[in-house]
Amino acid sequence: MKCTRCGDRATVELRRHNAAFCVADFLAFFRRQVSTAIGKYRMFGREERVLVAVSGGKDSLALWDVLIEEGYETSGLYLDLGIFEYSVESQAKCQAFAAARGVPLIVSVVADAVGGPVPIIQKVTRRPPCSGCGLSKRYLMNRAALEHGFPVVATGHNLDDARSRASRPRCRPLTRSWFGA
Amino acid sequence: MKVVLRNPRREVELPGPRRVKDVLRELQIVPGTVLIIRQDELLTTDAMLDDADTIELRPVMSGGGSGGVAPAGRRP
Ligand SMILES: [Zn+2]
């Protein structure tokens, strides 16, 4: 399969776009998609500081990366959910990224703010973990944005997340925040 | 060839040569729902595989999404 742009060997096939790309052209395509969406849906402007909620996973770090590349003034926000080694590891990934790119990272500890880590919240609320956890996270994201003076919160997801979100209305975004990827 | 699958992790042995899309059909996997990885490279569905190849089929999904999604494999 050949790259739709340059004709070299393609690595990524995007059936939805009826296209295939080599690595360099895929990155260019991805970045263009993000900036087109930001403009088309009037998500935010160049003068607005963006707080990027990062989990340490590929979706949110890719979003942060593309916003930095596009020249936005960003800070990362990492919510420490208190899920043991999982949280320690993912925080380290966010810190390494922030250090490598020379951008600030705000760390907010869920247990301090809402009175208990996610595994405890799950027991107390008897809600599925993503529900109690999602609500706490939304609240903390908004609170951190207000405290630190960010008019915009950005969260990164892939389409698989968007699909599962649709069937779980309790996890829908509560305020102005956007799908980044 | 060896095909490594995730969630749960398992390995399937299939005879080559055959194209990635035929491997996916054999395993009843919808193209576009997995990344096809050979060594450090992604492959497209028309790539030809032979007996000596090892590929991994990794589902396209999120780990710790920042918007209220549980870690991979722990979803309800
Ligand atoms: Zn190309």
Side-chain angles (χ1 to χ4, degrees), chain A residues 70-97:
Chain A
E70 289 295 313
Y72 288 98
E73 190 189 336
T74 63
S75 283
L77 170 65
Y78 177 79
L79 300 179
D80 177 358
L81 307 174
I83 315 180
F84 316 116
E85 323 84 66
Y86 177 77
S87 293
V88 174
E89 212 178 284
S90 48
Q91 182 174 337
K93 282 180 186 157
C94 294
Q95 281 165 331
F97 179 94

Side-chain angles (χ1 to χ4, degrees), chain A residues 1 9-13 15 53-55 57-60 83 86 128 130 134 137-138 141 155-158 160-161 164-165 168 171, chain B residues 21 24 31-33 35-36 38 41-47 59-72 74-76:
Chain A
M1 200 170 294
R9 195 178 73 78
T11 323
V12 181
E13 189 181 352
R15 298 177 159 238
V54 286
S55 64
K58 65 193 182 328
D59 301 326
S60 56
I83 315 180
Y86 177 77
C130 59
K137 279 155 81 177
R138 285 285 154 195
M141 282 177 201
T155 61
H157 310 271
N158 66 31
D160 184 66
D161 291 346
S164 68
R165 179 187 306 281
R168 283 192 277 114
C171 292
Chain B
K21 62 179 157 205
L24 295 181
T33 62
L35 295 175
I36 305 128
R38 182 174 58 191
E41 245 186 2
L42 293 179
L43 299 177
T44 49
T45 51
D46 63 337
V60 180
M61 63 150 64
S62 183
S66 50
V69 177
R74 296 183 53 190
R75 289 187 179 185

